Amino acid sequence: PSHTDSHGNKMCRFQGCWYYYNTLQSVLNFQRGFQPQDTDIILASYPKSGATWLKALTVALLERSKNNSSDDHHPLLSDNPHGIVPFLEIDIYHESSSPDLAKFSSVPRLFSTHMPLNTLHENLKNSPCKIVYVCRNVKDTIISWWFFGCAVNKIEPDRSILESMFESFCNGTIYYGPFWEHLLSYWRGSLEDPKHVLFMRYEEMKGKPRDQIKRLADFLDCPFTKEEEENGCLDEILDLCSLRNLSGLEVNKTGKINNINHKVFFRKGEVGDWKNYLTPEMENKIDMIIQEKLQGSGLKF
Ligand code: A3P
């Protein structure tokens, strides 16, 4: 089946998930060619759910355990998190099923993806590599998508675009959607295999950042020592990776990736911004859909 999105781009469905045509080709390339290494870390998310933040935190956690990072050489100071942790299907496998992975020679290799877990499954099923998924409440994700889509397409965030995107979210025909299927693929994966799939939430990261970064560090086998917790190392990482700090760095004010200005990845970073844009009818409609779709899964918002 095919479909056209609110910006006029053609989409088609593969393994239950909606892609733009060019992304689907990359997904197929990935499935044909990707061979995981045991130490790989894959950061997964639905678009606009906190990937930039998760990438920054993971990079900072691993840098500190390399124990050789003076501030001057910290990768986050000279590149955007998306430049450091590329998307498998968007950046790496977009041209061929056998890309040159030489630049990923460091251990562990860090990758990211927006593909649902069922689409990664064949490639990863015999691997102990680690997957971290970050999810966000659907209403903030929709609003974030709206602003991002308009910024990338260099148009004003018009309400008619929001309304049409909202309908696509509700009926599931949205890039990488249905949203709930995406969440559920990783949610089930984390229940079945908690050593290999960590399920995180943007709202919990905002609410209890210290607890959540410790959870992430434990999962990645680089836990904070008592000393690191007390000597400010943990808080330094949170500060370094804060939206305020990252968005103020020169590289993020001026750089570009895939023709997208780095600064577009940083907007408000708040929980509940949707209240400024969605009508009560929209709120009720999407709440009911999500409640119904997640029913019985144990996953709640
Ligand atoms: P808003 O549009 O609600 O502000 P992604 O990184 O998956 O593309 O998600 C983008 C959302 O994460 C945006 O949300 C953006 O502002 C927010 N974000 C980016 N960097 C962040 C950070 N370091 N800390 C918290 N939120 C961040």
Side-chain angles (χ1 to χ4, degrees), residues 135-153:
C135 84
R136 189 179 193 190
N137 80 77
V138 66
K139 288 172 281 191
D140 282 330
T141 305
I142 292 174
I143 296 304
S144 189
W145 238 138
W146 173 44
F147 278 105
F148 182 79
C150 292
V152 167
N153 287 288

Side-chain angles (χ1 to χ4, degrees), residues 133 135-139 141 179-180 183 199-203 287 290-291 294 298-301:
Y133 184 70
C135 84
R136 189 179 193 190
N137 80 77
V138 66
K139 288 172 281 191
T141 305
F179 175 81
W180 46 88
L183 295 189
F199 195 91
M200 300 191 74
R201 292 165 180 254
Y202 186 87
E203 293 75 21
D287 278 349
I290 293 293
Q291 203 183 345
L294 300 187
L299 179 58
K300 286 204 176 77
F301 283 94

Side-chain angles (χ1 to χ4, degrees), residues 47-53 82 136 144 202 241-243 246 265-270:
K48 311 324 292 172
S49 301
T52 315
W53 193 13
H82 296 289
R136 189 179 193 190
S144 189
Y202 186 87
C241 299
S242 67
L243 188 148
L246 289 181
F265 290 102
F266 308 97
R267 197 181 62 94
K268 275 192 182 172
E270 284 171 8

Side-chain angles (χ1 to χ4, degrees), residues 68-106:
N68 60 359
S69 56
S70 81
D71 253 1
D72 297 345
H73 297 110
H74 201 292
L76 287 170
L77 300 182
S78 54
D79 201 354
N80 176 267
H82 296 289
I84 309 171
V85 188
F87 283 101
L88 284 163
E89 72 278 25
I90 301 168
D91 301 310
I92 303 179
Y93 283 91
H94 64 294
E95 278 176 349
S96 100
S97 57
S98 51
D100 180 10
L101 293 180
K103 67 174 175 176
F104 302 103
S105 56
S106 67

